[in-house]
Amino acid sequence: MSVAFDGMGSVVVTFQANSATAGKPASMAGNNMVANASGGVAPVGIILNRRGNHAAVQIQGYTQVKYSGATTPSLGWNQLVTDGTGGLRLAASGETGRACLVVNRDTENKTMGLFL
């Protein structure tokens, strides 16, 4: 038997988006609008795709993302923020992160599988 998390508990919503890149974390950019997230903010979710002025954003469920920072997120619950380069990192003192359940890590490629 193998382990599979894809699709578990996924919630995807459509936002307005003038600039959004698939695979990158999203942050709020206005009423009903998201954009590629700058660094140090709690992610709204992960942008799945963009068509015209709209983006599909996964706000809940399992996803895989890049991580950065000197400390690798631990397996289990972590407070994560955007890193400004399309990934996530551990929240620093004074930053408000999003609680995410990290279930696997690839330290060679600096990616992690987590539940938003």
Side-chain angles (χ1 to χ4, degrees), residues 61-65 80 88 100-104 112-116:
Y62 179 79
T63 189
Q64 288 192 313
V65 296
L80 300 174
L88 300 175
C100 297
L101 177 60
V102 176
V103 295
N104 61 64
M112 60 184 164
L114 57 87
F115 284 90
L116 295 168

Side-chain angles (χ1 to χ4, degrees), residues 6-116:
D6 293 336
M8 288 189 64
S10 291
V11 175
V12 178
V13 296
T14 302
F15 288 95
Q16 293 177 339
N18 293 330
S19 62
T21 306
K24 307 281 184 180
S27 64
M28 294 305 297
N31 289 333
N32 306 318
M33 181 177 284
V34 295
N36 292 338
S38 59
V41 299
V44 169
I46 304 299
I47 301 163
L48 298 180
N49 62 47
R50 180 174 151 237
R51 189 178 329 161
N53 290 327
H54 292 87
V57 179
Q58 181 179 351
I59 62 169
Q60 186 176 314
Y62 179 79
T63 189
Q64 288 192 313
V65 296
K66 292 207 170 272
Y67 69 85
S68 65
T71 305
T72 300
S74 60
L75 294 173
W77 289 101
N78 292 268
Q79 291 291 321
L80 300 174
V81 295
T82 57
D83 66 7
T85 62
L88 300 175
R89 63 172 173 76
L90 291 171
S93 179
E95 292 179 320
T96 302
R98 179 174 178 169
C100 297
L101 177 60
V102 176
V103 295
N104 61 64
R105 299 168 300 183
D106 177 344
T107 55
E108 184 176 321
N109 294 307
K110 294 196 91 170
T111 61
M112 60 184 164
L114 57 87
F115 284 90
L116 295 168

